[in-house]
Amino acid sequence: MTSASYEIIMNMRVPEGYIETGRFFIGPDKEAACEMFARLQGKPALTSSAMLRMDLVEQQEGIATVIQALGCTLCEVSENMKTILRETFKMLNLEP
């Protein structure tokens, strides 16, 4: 069985739909990725009306699946990026 990896992808709405503007590799631990995503600010993105969207994505065997999505304001994206970087640093440098 191939293991999965998890990413948080930042998307911006343009007239043609959404384009990716950033990608954060979170690692192979689904529980840790979901816990990190739960700390992020924003509202569940149930429609495509959000100008900025952050997606928690599972990559497995070349297939990307969006697990959760948040619609965010610019201020929320800024705070979320700080949270992602802080938590990723902890995971990579401080935890066994």
Side-chain angles (χ1 to χ4, degrees), residues 39-80:
R39 291 187 191 111
L40 302 183
Q41 298 177 16
K43 295 182 179 159
L46 301 175
T47 67
S48 60
S49 62
M51 291 303 291
L52 300 169
R53 192 181 76 205
M54 298 189 93
D55 297 335
L56 176 59
V57 175
E58 178 182 67
Q59 294 278 352
Q60 190 165 17
E61 297 181 13
I63 299 171
T65 305
V66 176
I67 298 173
Q68 297 178 50
L70 291 174
C72 304
T73 65
L74 187 57
C75 289
E76 289 169 334
V77 167
S78 174
E79 289 301 315
N80 289 346

Side-chain angles (χ1 to χ4, degrees), residues 4-8 24-30 33 56-58 67:
S5 64
Y6 297 88
E7 300 173 329
I8 295 176
F24 298 91
F25 176 73
I26 304 303
D29 186 338
K30 183 176 185 174
L56 176 59
V57 175
E58 178 182 67
I67 298 173

